[in-house]
Amino acid sequence: MILTLLATFGVALQPAEGFRPLRSILAIESLGPRRRALLRPDPIEWALAQGTWEAPHEGSRVLGLDGEPRTWTRFEADEQAQFSGDAFRGGWAFARVDLPVTSAWRLEASGHSYVIVDGEPRAGDPYGLGITRVPLALEAGEHELLFRCGRGDLRVSLELAPKPVYFEDIDSTLPDIVRGEGGELWGAILVCNARGTRLEGASILAHVEGSSSTNTRLQNIEPSSYRKAPFRFEAPVEFGRDEMRIQLQLVDARGQPLHATEVELAVRDGDQKHARTFQSAVDGSVQYYAVVPRAPLAGGSPDGPAALVLSLHGAGVEARGQAACYAPKDWCTVVAPTNRRPFGFDWEDWGRLDALEVLELESARQATDPRRTYLTGHSMGGHGTWQLGAHFPSRFAAIAPSAGWRDFEDYGAGSGVDPEDPIGALLLRSTLASRTLALADNYRSLGIYVLHGDEDRSVPVSEARAMREVLGEFHPNFAYYERAGAGHWWGNECLDWPPLFDFLRRNERPLLPTSIDFTTVSPRVSSRCDWLAIEDQLEPFQLSRAQAEWSPDEGEVRLQLENVTRVAFDFSSLTAAGQPGPEVLRLSKAPGIGAEVSFELPEELRVTPVLDRGGDGAWRLARRATGWSKSPERYGPLKDGFRRRMVFVYGTQGTPEENAWARAKARFDHEVWRYRGNGSVELLPDTDFDADEDVERNVILYGNRDTNSRWEEVLAGNAFDLDRTHVRIGHRTLEGEDLALLAVYPRRGSRKACAVVIGGTGLVGARSTDHLPIFVSGVAYPDWTVLGAESLRDGLPGVRGAGFFRSDWSALDGAPAAWREAGK
């Protein structure tokens, strides 16, 4: 099939088998700043939201944010069908194609943040992973492609899809088969729907040689969309070959075949390195991790349970590659999670959750020694080591970052948000979890080994030296080694460094520590340290600290609290060990008290007591938090809503244009989540969503009260509102058709689940949310943010308000908030 580019480029694409690349394209250099930031003003983004953007011609000009004009210029692809140059580094590229037939098509591109196809945004491939192929139901005739470029290169091809509904042969997530285990396992494969109608009621049939067949029902797939679909299969206990094939068949609701494919899995012995899969509690997707099993002792059976070393990979690496760097050891097993992708989330946000999920799974499966759990990682994984060690010090006995960087403010380009601006200060407050050094005191209980090459050009050794200086001021147990002449990667020893592992092995964590000194940025990020948990804050997303001393002989715990309004205890480990729990809690420092207050614990509260500061400012013994109050299970900010197997629900009760926006935005977020987080999210119109079913799932609502019929059924209170004419937060109301709202709030009927709202007062406001970097690490939004469409042109001055809800989820006086009048 020949695809003809219009006269704008004067070139035709030649027919070929499968790959039909674009050879000529218009592009324009970046029009605004390029950084990891929650606001990325850009004149073309602004015009798209306003509905005033027009397709460019060669030589047409656009004024950049710096006041300098840029010109749309024609570029020709090289021999590898790749476009290169400064314009493809944060700029834009445009093509118009003429399709000869109405059919199912497939757009494959790499090097772009996203592409807008005929006005609708679709996810890109900014890291060039080669895993982005967009199914499209397109009619014959002209179609426009507008690319937001990424890192300097762009490749584009458009071809006929293999079938209207089909399996993709890229981006599958599969386990290895471990001989002697057998049973039900999970994989995931891309299922694409290139039709103009939804795919409903389909299933994946999986057949493994020597085992039974399984049937996994698929959730519905929107038109011109895809889903990373989980599927079950039965693995045989014994299998002779080193590879095993699974026959997969996609069938419709009547059982009629739609497509078939075959996937191959490696078969490993139990003592070999291997990969395992699991269904994540975050979104129900299938994730994988790799294991380096404990080596057998030369003298016989292992003496006691193994230690566990959690190893975090660097950017561009995957778990299998990470595990390949380690030789087996007779005292520990090494476990490598994925961060959900090779770049993922820099081991923050959902990357942090992935590491914790894998740690819990393997600690339980292998029954490892809880006193000897360790954390290490290289490069981005070194940053992850600093991060997880700071947030969860009681999970590990020692940590060992190799070639690691501290945080985005020091290593990256910074956020670009003015901390002196009241709204900017609240936006930055949401990112406090990324600021590693804010939690440096939490390293005190950990052994730390720092490894870095002094010729590292990727992550400069100054990162390690800065941490050495910080630790040197207070830390009693750290080691530091600079490898002379070594760069960023100097072989497997970057990870499998014998002195590093010797250091880890020498450190053990006490099971029943008597002293705790713990700081957190938020109970939702990290609340628990050993037998103490910070459950609520006076000022959300400000540092909160708890210092506790348990005196077994005196039967009491002495406690000091900073920015804490509820603290919980769990002394079940004491009673399990045959020791009595404390009888008295003595609170000598906390918000609202001037002198020490003692609380005698009745028998029924000695195992899991709670101290709570009530609305009257008085401290009292309490039980666990009520379902309405903020708690470690539901606290905000916005990203907190994207977990608990969330479902995306788009509105269909608006105008055709409003409904088209909601569906396209929900589909785009679904696709970005798949790309960045290897995720899988159910996507539904509001008319198909049953708000009374599975109320413990988080819900993402696209639209507003007027356009999404599930608004009242999902949102539990009235702290805010959004319709076609206004947005209200508490008692403050803004009117206009160009306002956007991002907000997280409790879901009605649930003690744990959240609802997230993404919408606008009108189409201009709604479109202002189209490309916000919600799923980018180092970027965060507070509990609520009100954006004017002008934020796409002006940046921070266009943000009209931001803030956090109070502990009771209200937005009344006392809730942190800042506002700005339009144009100021």
Side-chain angles (χ1 to χ4, degrees), residues 226-237:
Y226 51 71
R227 181 175 173 82
K228 185 75 176 282
F231 66 89
R232 297 178 299 110
F233 65 95
E234 291 288 332
V237 175

Side-chain angles (χ1 to χ4, degrees), residues 329-575:
K329 293 163 179 59
D330 62 13
W331 62 277
C332 69
T333 181
V334 178
V335 178
T338 66
N339 187 33
R340 286 188 157 239
R341 284 294 189 193
F343 292 88
F345 305 104
D346 297 276
W347 298 106
E348 299 188 20
D349 300 324
W350 302 279
R352 180 169 59 232
L353 295 179
D354 179 71
L356 295 176
E357 281 194 295
V358 171
L359 177 60
E360 293 298 325
L361 284 168
E362 278 301 289
S363 295
R365 188 185 72 84
Q366 297 194 48
T368 55
D369 187 345
R371 301 169 303 168
R372 298 187 299 144
T373 301
Y374 308 101
L375 178 64
T376 187
H378 177 262
S379 191
M380 181 181 74
H383 166 68
T385 301
W386 287 123
Q387 268 276 305
L388 269 75
H391 286 297
F392 307 101
S394 64
R395 298 289 187 101
F396 308 102
I399 65 173
S402 172
W405 43 277
R406 290 168 289 172
D407 57 37
F408 293 112
E409 286 296 317
D410 296 301
Y411 181 64
S415 66
V417 174
D418 180 6
E420 300 301 319
D421 180 279
I423 291 178
L426 280 168
L427 297 176
L428 288 175
R429 196 160 141 181
S430 305
T431 67
L432 185 58
S434 293
R435 299 308 307 269
T436 306
L437 289 182
L439 300 172
D441 281 348
N442 284 349
Y443 295 135
R444 194 181 304 271
S445 65
L446 297 167
I448 300 179
Y449 190 100
V450 183
L451 179 64
H452 217 111
D454 69 356
E455 295 295 329
D456 193 331
R457 297 292 181 263
S458 297
V459 179
V461 71
S462 58
E463 291 290 313
R465 291 172 181 172
M467 292 305 292
R468 178 182 61 182
E469 184 175 345
V470 170
L471 295 173
E473 294 179 356
F474 71 92
H475 203 286
N477 181 25
F478 81 95
Y480 181 92
Y481 178 69
E482 272 185 28
R483 179 76 165 180
H488 190 61
W489 178 257
W490 35 283
N492 289 353
E493 284 187 324
C494 284
L495 291 167
D496 201 4
W497 180 240
L500 181 153
F501 272 85
D502 289 343
F503 179 89
L504 296 181
R505 190 173 188 177
R506 291 195 300 269
N507 282 269
E508 290 189 5
R509 185 168 188 84
L511 291 178
L512 299 174
T514 58
S515 178
I516 293 175
D517 187 348
F518 174 59
T519 301
T520 184
V521 301
S522 167
R524 192 55 170 132
V525 177
S526 59
S527 65
R528 179 165 296 279
C529 183
D530 292 306
W531 39 263
L532 178 148
I534 296 173
E535 294 197 338
D536 200 3
Q537 300 172 292
L538 185 65
E539 289 289 333
F541 276 82
Q542 298 281 50
L543 294 180
S544 295
R545 185 181 186 186
Q547 296 170 277
E549 293 285 343
W550 169 48
S551 301
D553 295 339
E554 299 176 13
E556 66 179 28
V557 171
R558 292 188 174 274
L559 191 64
Q560 297 185 45
L561 304 175
E562 300 173 27
N563 193 36
V564 177
T565 57
R566 188 169 62 249
V567 60
F569 304 86
D570 184 351
F571 298 118
S572 57
S573 58
L574 304 180
T575 57

Side-chain angles (χ1 to χ4, degrees), residues 13-315:
L13 299 178
Q14 299 302 312
E17 283 298 322
F19 186 66
R20 299 170 177 87
L22 267 67
R23 294 289 183 181
S24 183
I25 203 165
L26 286 181
I28 191 169
E29 292 185 6
S30 176
L31 300 165
R34 296 179 63 248
R35 59 167 61 96
R36 185 183 298 265
L38 74 158
L39 298 169
R40 300 173 180 176
D42 183 277
I44 291 180
E45 289 270 19
W46 161 255
L48 288 167
Q50 296 292 316
T52 60
W53 186 80
E54 295 181 354
H57 298 280
E58 186 175 358
S60 56
R61 309 179 88 185
V62 179
L63 198 65
L65 294 180
D66 59 2
E68 295 296 323
R70 315 285 200 277
T71 303
W72 284 95
T73 304
R74 182 185 302 164
F75 288 80
E76 307 297 330
D78 62 19
E79 294 180 355
Q80 287 73 45
Q82 180 168 282
F83 301 99
S84 301
D86 288 342
F88 302 96
R89 190 171 292 108
W92 296 83
F94 174 78
R96 186 182 284 125
V97 297
D98 188 10
L99 301 185
V101 295
T102 297
S103 186
W105 294 87
R106 179 167 65 183
L107 173 66
E108 182 171 10
S110 65
H112 61 308
S113 296
Y114 53 86
V115 58
I116 299 173
V117 181
D118 295 334
E120 294 192 345
R122 309 305 298 265
D125 182 10
Y127 294 114
L129 300 178
I131 59 172
T132 301
R133 296 175 183 168
V134 178
L136 298 167
L138 297 177
E139 296 182 353
E142 299 177 8
H143 298 272
E144 293 183 349
L145 309 176
L146 177 64
F147 296 89
R148 185 66 189 267
C149 301
R151 297 186 166 196
D153 300 308
L154 178 68
R155 293 167 61 94
V156 182
S157 71
L158 187 60
E159 61 185 354
L160 287 171
K163 283 182 174 291
V165 179
Y166 57 96
F167 290 119
E168 265 292 5
D169 60 0
I170 55 172
D171 197 32
S172 296
T173 300
L174 302 169
D176 295 335
I177 304 301
V178 180
R179 291 187 178 94
E181 293 189 3
E184 182 180 272
L185 297 177
W186 285 91
I189 189 169
L190 273 176
V191 178
C192 298
N193 178 20
R195 306 184 308 188
T197 58
R198 294 172 74 196
L199 176 64
E200 299 181 341
S203 299
I204 296 177
L205 306 180
H207 176 71
V208 179
E209 179 184 350
S211 188
S212 59
S213 298
T214 58
N215 184 326
T216 306
R217 178 74 178 268
L218 290 185
Q219 293 172 339
N220 297 339
I221 301 178
E222 292 293 302
S224 294
S225 190
Y226 51 71
R227 181 175 173 82
K228 185 75 176 282
F231 66 89
R232 297 178 299 110
F233 65 95
E234 291 288 332
V237 175
E238 298 297 337
F239 200 81
R241 297 194 303 272
D242 289 338
E243 69 283 329
M244 186 185 76
R245 293 179 174 83
I246 304 178
Q247 307 296 326
L248 298 177
Q249 187 175 49
L250 183 63
V251 299
D252 64 16
R254 298 171 300 167
Q256 298 301 306
L258 297 170
H259 197 211
T261 192
E262 181 181 87
V263 294
E264 184 176 294
L265 280 64
V267 180
R268 299 284 186 257
D269 293 327
D271 60 354
Q272 291 181 301
K273 299 174 185 178
H274 60 270
R276 295 178 175 269
T277 55
F278 67 99
Q279 277 198 290
S280 171
V282 172
D283 60 351
S285 64
V286 175
Q287 305 295 328
Y288 94 93
Y289 59 94
V291 179
V292 183
R294 182 182 190 178
L297 286 172
S301 300
D303 182 18
L308 187 150
V309 178
L310 193 71
S311 179
L312 312 182
H313 65 71

